Structures are given as structure tokens and as C-alpha cells.
Amino acid sequence: MSTANGTPPLLEVLRLRKHFPLRGGVLQRIHAWVRAVDDVSFDVYPAETLGIVGESGCGKSTLARLILRLIEPDAGTVRFAGEDVRGASPPRMKRLRRDMQLVFQDPYASLNPRLTIEDAVAFSLLVHGTPRAEARERARAMLGRVGLDPRLYARRYAHELSGGQRQRVNIARALVLDPRLLVLDEPVSALDKSVQAQVLNLLQELKAERALTYVFISHDLNVIEYVSGRVLVMYLGEVVETGTADALARSPKHPYTQALFASAPSLDPDRRMERPPLAGDPPNPIDPPSGCRFRTRCAFAMPRCAEAPPALRQVGATHEVACYLYEAEAAVAP
Ligand code: SF4
């Protein structure tokens, strides 16, 4: 698949699946499976931001780790710049790990408490064979770029920094390797609102400066809308809707997406919706409902919704939805 101007995707995810076994009893036999990611497909184009949104437990973080091959999928393919990540040889995988970096949610847990932040940022350069003096120099320059003056911060430890400063260190650590793709897993969720805005703005600046491509994962629809060009909505391990951020904000189709918008009211009065916000917790991913997984919380559920899962269907030029309510619309979509 390629864009209208013929640019091939930087990242292609095809029918990715990951189920985790639950073991129990003396023999530790498998007695159930957690269906974390089920048949998920999408493309990400160079220099775009794809936002992935859904409640906690919907499989977003597992998806992030599958993309970076930190865990192995049960099925499906991840291709980066046309190359199958799963089949990469160890030296090639080392190169791919430079090109694809992950920024985690918890900025404290992901920093080694025994390293100064300068050493934490320089560490990945050393692993990739950069001489120590050069690694240190590049680490200091990167710290400066993320707003941490190296003269003040380079020799400090993670516990001496605020949450926002620690997340800046993590961003510096990811970017010092000059990656092409950043997978950001809830990067601002642990931060205060005012600090969130500063870190989001920094991420936007860095993206423009370095022509980066982002996969941005969050449960917060306002954050996703702010940073994303396209959005993918996940529910219980599956993609239920995908489209441009504008199309989804203007006309969310799936009842779950509508509920997410209703639960995250906009300041724009034209955007306020009359629908009730989402109630209750998502069902257990160990034993998801048959058919459409959203049916136990859906106000429009029909008998057929229990029979078979609805497929993603095109309802606009770049807008797809998995819901039986839109079958007629999908049939005439361009
Ligand atoms: Fe609701 Fe049925 Fe659509 Fe699922 S397929 S979102 S249950 S109407």
C-alpha cells in the first residue's frame, strides 16, 4: 500500500496477533488465554503521527512491544522500511533497534537510578559502538535540545529530577540514536496537565525538526487529537475505527468512538455531543464477548452483533469502521 503521492509506508503492521496464556494448578497448565492483540493491521507513513487510542487493557501497550519486537507475535507481520522485522538477522536487528525507539509511560521506572542522566543518555550510543568521549558530547547536546541545560543537569540522578524532566531524559535517550520512528506509549499520562502540554509541544517540535514518524499511544482522546494526523481506535485487542483525526472528531462512527468523544468533552461547543458517556469497565479480555466485542456496552446492539465480529469497512476516503450499523454506508463508500 502507498499514499496518493506514491510514498511507501515506513511501518506496515499486518494481521498481528498476540494471546498470552494463563496458567494455573500444580502442573501450571494453560487454562485460558488473554487475547491482547487480535488481527490488527495498519500502515504508518513517513513523517506522520498515527495515534492509537483506547481504554487501559485494550492491547495498546502490547501492540507497542510487538512493533519493536520486544515480544514475539503469535501471528502476523511487522515490516519497517519494507523489511520484515521478524526475519531480521541479529546485526540487522541491531540497526532496526536504532531506527525504532520506544518511550515508556513511567519516566522513573525506565531510568537506571545508578546512572547520571548524561550516562543514561550516552549508554545506548556506547552499546552501538560510539567512542566514550563522543557519546558523552552527543548526550549533552541532546539534553540541551530537550530543555535540560547539561551544565545544570548532566551529573544529576533520576531521583533528583521532576517527572517532566525525567520524561525529557527518556526522550533524549530515544532520540540520541537518530531513530526514524518513535513509538510513544502513554508518554505524558504520568505527568501533571501543565507539564503534559510542555512535553507534547517539545515532541511536536522535535518531530518537525528531525522529520520523525510517531506512533503515539494514549487513553486520552484530547492528547491523541492534539498530536495525531490519523487515529486508530482499539477496543479489547481489536481495531474498531480508523481515520484522520479531523474525520473522527467531525463524525465518529463506531458507538465506542462516539462514547470516547462524549467522555472527553471538548471545549468547542460545536463539538459537544448529546450521547451518554461510556459506562462500566471493558469486559475481561480473557473471555471477550462473541461477535462484536463492544456489544455488552453498546446502546445499538442487535441480535446479529453476537453472531460474528463485524469487519472493518470503508465509510469514507480514509475512514473505516467495524460496526453493522454502517453496512449500507460502506457499500457506497469511495
Ligand atoms: Fe454496537 Fe453492533 Fe455496532 Fe458492535 S456491531 S458497535 S454491538 S451496533
Side-chain angles (χ1 to χ4, degrees):
M1 197 176 162
S2 60
T3 55
N5 65 13
T7 312
L10 182 63
L11 180 73
E12 297 161 86
V13 170
L14 187 65
R15 309 202 68 171
L16 212 52
R17 191 179 75 211
K18 184 71 187 176
H19 295 176
F20 293 105
L22 282 183
R23 294 174 190 275
V26 182
L27 297 174
Q28 287 293 295
R29 287 215 170 94
I30 296 172
H31 62 87
W33 292 87
V34 178
R35 301 166 71 121
V37 171
D38 245 341
D39 216 11
V40 169
S41 300
F42 59 88
D43 292 331
V44 188
Y45 291 90
E48 81 164 338
T49 297
L50 176 76
I52 300 181
V53 67
E55 292 159 291
S56 72
C58 75
K60 310 181 298 288
S61 294
T62 303
L63 185 57
R65 282 150 185 79
L66 288 169
I67 292 171
L68 283 112
R69 209 180 151 195
L70 299 176
I71 50 177
E72 291 292 329
D74 298 331
T77 316
V78 176
R79 295 176 74 83
F80 180 81
E83 186 176 354
D84 186 346
V85 171
R86 208 172 179 182
S89 61
R92 184 65 199 138
M93 198 59 222
K94 198 172 172 188
R95 177 67 229 175
L96 283 171
R97 290 219 190 282
R98 283 187 81 137
D99 283 340
M100 299 192 285
Q101 289 288 309
L102 179 63
V103 175
F104 292 96
Q105 172 178 358
D106 185 340
Y108 190 59
S110 49
L111 285 174
N112 184 334
R114 287 188 292 275
L115 290 182
T116 63
I117 63 165
E118 176 187 71
D119 288 341
V121 176
F123 182 77
S124 35
L125 287 168
L126 295 174
V127 168
H128 284 273
T130 308
R132 186 168 293 275
E134 183 190 332
R136 218 161 242 182
E137 197 177 312
R138 282 173 61 185
R140 291 175 81 89
M142 200 64 237
L143 284 171
R145 178 57 198 94
V146 298
L148 296 172
D149 183 342
R151 289 166 301 183
L152 295 175
Y153 293 98
R155 305 308 300 162
R156 293 196 193 177
Y157 292 86
H159 72 269
E160 297 175 286
L161 305 180
S162 68
Q165 288 168 338
R166 287 198 284 259
Q167 199 55 304
R168 285 171 192 266
V169 176
N170 276 324
I171 293 166
R173 200 172 54 163
L175 290 183
V176 78
L177 289 168
D178 276 331
R180 297 166 70 189
L181 175 77
L182 225 53
V183 179
L184 300 129
D185 185 10
E186 301 272 8
V188 296
S189 304
L191 308 176
D192 293 343
K193 284 280 173 220
S194 60
V195 182
Q196 278 191 4
Q198 293 165 13
V199 173
L200 288 175
N201 288 337
L202 172 68
L203 285 168
Q204 298 285 66
E205 283 167 30
L206 292 166
K207 178 173 181 285
E209 238 172 69
R210 297 168 164 249
L212 288 162
T213 305
Y214 285 172
V215 173
F216 197 107
I217 293 170
S218 178
H219 69 281
D220 186 333
L221 194 60
N222 287 324
V223 168
I224 287 288
E225 263 197 286
Y226 179 67
V227 298
S228 310
R230 278 191 307 129
V231 177
L232 191 136
V233 183
M234 280 187 78
Y235 187 77
L236 278 186
E238 295 181 329
V239 177
V240 296
E241 185 161 3
T242 171
T244 61
D246 281 351
L248 260 66
R250 225 182 18 250
S251 174
K253 300 284 189 195
H254 197 282
Y256 177 60
T257 316
Q258 293 174 350
L260 283 181
F261 273 100
S263 312
S266 169
L267 296 177
D268 177 355
D270 294 338
R271 287 265 317 276
R272 289 201 188 128
M273 305 182 76
E274 298 302 319
R275 292 188 183 83
L278 196 56
D281 293 326
N284 195 335
I286 295 170
D287 188 16
S290 64
C292 173
R293 292 185 182 178
F294 187 59
R295 70 182 170 81
T296 51
R297 298 165 90 190
C298 180
F300 309 99
M302 311 166 258
R304 68 177 299 200
C305 301
E307 288 162 15
L312 271 174
R313 290 187 174 85
Q314 205 171 346
V315 289
T318 55
H319 195 166
E320 292 183 321
V321 63
C323 172
Y324 289 124
L325 294 173
Y326 300 97
E327 271 179 322
E329 205 173 312
V332 296

